[in-house]
Amino acid sequence: SSGGHANLVKYLLKRVEGLFLASGDPMPKGEDVQALIVSGWIEELLRFLVIKTIAGDTTFPYEMAPSLPINDAWKALMIMPSAYSKLCLAIGNDGVIDHDPFWDEDDDNKDYEFKSKHINITKRAYQDLFDQEPAKLYWALPRESTGDKLMKMFRTSSMGSGVKLHKWASMFSSSCQSPGGYS
């Protein structure tokens, strides 16, 4: 439904400023430009899930990992289990793609080198599948200083923000009928 898509866009629009601050790039002005950025963000999330599906990297332990912005969008999708399940099935999985809920936490097991290694594996698969480099805006490596306030924006859940993301569930069932559409 268009209302559901609007809610996803609304959620990610709230995160656009943090996306640019974290990447170090200047924030563009204008609602149309920001909506285009959010559309690209959604496409990058879908590409990530397609990559994991094609690679068979759908259960723990994982070889491929999302960047922090892609992980943030992935978590927003997963809080609607029905939509997430439909999407995973539509792109060729037998079930949902498992997610490591501790990926974006600061701990000794998920240090900078570890995260960078697994994100780089994903980025190489992205290049092989889509014949282009992933957009830096959505796929920058984590900063060595994981305590950076800007990167914490992508580690902090905003599920309590009042955005009702479950309404965009039908968007995924209609937009993911053909996984070949993402190449």
Side-chain angles (χ1 to χ4, degrees):
S1 74
S2 63
H5 183 263
N7 284 332
L8 175 60
V9 169
K10 186 178 184 182
Y11 171 85
L12 293 176
L13 275 172
K14 290 181 180 182
R15 313 286 279 186
V16 167
E17 184 176 2
L19 183 66
F20 277 90
L21 289 172
S23 74
D25 294 329
M27 169 113 164
K29 303 292 185 212
E31 290 179 20
D32 290 343
V33 174
Q34 291 180 12
L36 185 61
I37 292 163
V38 168
S39 176
W41 200 348
I42 293 167
E43 182 175 341
E44 291 301 311
L45 168 63
L46 295 175
R47 284 180 175 217
F48 169 71
L49 296 174
V50 166
I51 291 166
K52 287 187 69 72
T53 298
I54 290 171
D57 190 39
T58 60
T59 59
F60 189 81
Y62 312 107
E63 281 299 310
M64 298 179 181
S67 63
L68 291 174
I70 298 303
N71 193 51
D72 188 50
W74 190 10
K75 288 191 293 186
L77 174 60
M78 287 187 300
I79 62 174
M80 295 170 299
S82 179
Y84 182 55
S85 177
K86 286 178 185 178
L87 173 65
C88 289
L89 293 172
I91 61 175
N93 292 292
D94 294 330
V96 297
I97 299 171
D98 290 340
H99 178 270
D100 180 355
F102 304 107
W103 174 254
D104 53 0
E105 302 264 330
D106 287 330
D107 66 31
D108 293 336
N109 296 323
K110 303 262 187 324
D111 61 3
Y112 175 78
E113 291 80 19
F114 178 87
K115 289 180 182 180
S116 295
K117 173 187 171 191
H118 291 278
I119 292 170
N120 279 326
I121 291 170
T122 307
K123 289 168 73 172
R124 282 191 297 278
Y126 185 110
Q127 290 173 311
D128 290 345
L129 183 61
F130 299 110
D131 200 28
Q132 65 186 43
E133 289 196 30
K136 179 184 171 191
L137 180 63
Y138 310 105
W139 285 99
L141 292 176
R143 296 194 178 171
E144 288 192 66
S145 172
T146 56
D148 186 291
K149 289 181 183 179
L150 298 174
M151 294 311 283
K152 283 187 179 181
M153 292 177 75
F154 295 108
R155 292 189 199 106
T156 305
S157 170
S158 62
M159 288 186 226
S161 67
V163 177
K164 295 179 181 177
L165 295 173
H166 64 280
K167 290 185 178 178
W168 57 270
S170 64
M171 174 188 78
F172 290 102
S173 61
S174 64
S175 68
C176 296
Q177 296 299 318
S178 172
Y182 301 113
S183 58

